[in-house]
Amino acid sequence: MVPDRPTHRFRPQVQLSLPGHYQAIFERYKSLSMIADSPATFCENMMLIDHFSTHVQGSLVECGTWKGGMACAMMALAGPARDYHFFDSFEGLPDAQDIDGDGALSYQRNTGSPAYRDNCRADHDEFLRLMNEQDVPAERINVYKGWFENTLPTYAGGPISVLRLDGDWYESTMTCLRELYPKVAFGGVVIIDDYEAWDGCTKAVHDYLGDISSRSRIDRTPVSHVAFIQKFDECTG
């Protein structure tokens, strides 16, 4: 039975050997996720998803899905009895701004770089086909196409147990936090994919937590240092 109200901070430990199903999920979906270049990062994302979906009631939400590798991992871990909500423009990233830092601006200028990946663009129809292939009832899978500022206010799901943010830039990350952090269940988790990668994302997280006078903390996983927040704020929405 899932507890109603976790009371202790999750402190992940180094895993010397991965559970076999983690490795199987990674091998199946690694070509569909940008973080699969680092197996430890992919697997520590799964560790967080697995723990919090097991211990906290609620939906699983990802903002910035790309081709769907981590979305599929979420469903493989949490199973067919949960609701899933996936947000992406399917048009790539919006333009980086000065607040996002020189690295972000340079990234979008360097369109010939292998890391550019067509500005993180993904095909909406291919994503939908992939979702339909998963062992989750179609009525539990919700896909929102469009810019976050237009789609996130339409979220009508229940409390969120796992919120994974992969929005890269300041405004995208701030929009996700403003719209969805209040909906994260007490003791649930926010996984911040780009906290280390982009200045704008880091600043947005700090600004938002400061704006709400949060008592939650930014933690890291032990190997790949995935940033996450276990929510211990009372704000709801």
Side-chain angles (χ1 to χ4, degrees):
M1 182 176 179
V2 178
D4 288 332
R5 195 173 179 84
T7 57
H8 301 289
R9 289 177 66 199
F10 175 52
R11 299 184 181 277
Q13 304 298 312
V14 174
Q15 297 191 25
L16 299 179
S17 61
L18 293 174
H21 67 295
Y22 280 25
Q23 189 64 37
I25 293 169
F26 172 73
E27 292 297 333
R28 184 173 181 182
Y29 298 117
K30 64 183 180 181
S31 66
L32 302 174
S33 173
M34 292 186 195
I35 66 171
D37 293 342
S38 168
T41 301
F42 194 102
C43 289
E44 288 194 325
N45 269 261
M46 286 197 289
M47 176 177 62
L48 292 169
I49 293 164
D50 198 5
H51 175 86
F52 285 98
S53 65
T54 299
H55 291 88
V56 181
Q57 297 179 16
S59 300
L60 287 82
V61 179
E62 184 176 39
C63 300
T65 61
W66 197 48
K67 294 184 178 182
M70 192 51 62
C72 290
M74 281 183 166
M75 290 186 280
L77 291 164
R82 307 297 282 272
D83 291 325
Y84 300 88
H85 299 263
F86 302 120
F87 294 84
D88 201 286
S89 71
F90 297 99
E91 297 180 28
L93 297 173
D95 291 341
Q97 306 299 317
D98 289 344
I99 197 170
D100 296 306
D102 292 340
L105 297 170
S106 176
Y107 162 81
Q108 285 198 314
R109 287 194 297 265
N110 190 10
T111 59
S113 167
Y116 184 67
R117 293 186 172 97
D118 196 23
N119 196 34
C120 300
R121 186 174 284 103
D123 185 275
H124 180 241
D125 290 337
E126 289 183 5
F127 184 86
L128 292 178
R129 282 194 293 272
L130 180 66
M131 297 300 100
N132 289 333
E133 294 170 359
Q134 306 311 305
D135 294 328
V136 173
E139 62 270 20
R140 288 194 173 274
I141 302 173
N142 305 273
V143 179
Y144 305 74
K145 181 181 185 298
W147 302 111
F148 290 160
E149 62 265 29
N150 298 322
T151 57
L152 291 175
T154 71
Y155 174 78
I160 298 168
S161 62
V162 177
L163 172 60
R164 186 173 185 276
L165 303 185
D166 192 359
D168 295 68
W169 310 149
Y170 181 94
E171 285 299 332
S172 298
T173 303
M174 182 62 83
T175 299
C176 292
L177 290 168
R178 285 174 176 162
E179 293 292 339
L180 296 182
Y181 186 87
K183 302 179 187 302
V184 175
F186 189 94
V189 71
V190 182
I191 303 170
I192 312 157
D193 182 76
D194 300 300
Y195 182 79
E196 186 75 23
W198 304 116
D199 293 349
C201 175
T202 310
K203 181 169 173 52
V205 173
H206 295 175
D207 285 354
Y208 179 77
L209 294 178
D211 287 346
I212 66 169
S213 300
S214 174
R215 66 188 186 95
S216 299
R217 299 172 184 174
I218 301 165
D219 286 310
R220 299 293 193 97
T221 59
V223 176
S224 61
H225 309 298
V226 176
F228 68 97
I229 301 166
Q230 185 174 7
K231 181 180 172 181
F232 284 120
D233 302 302
E234 296 291 349
C235 62
T236 58

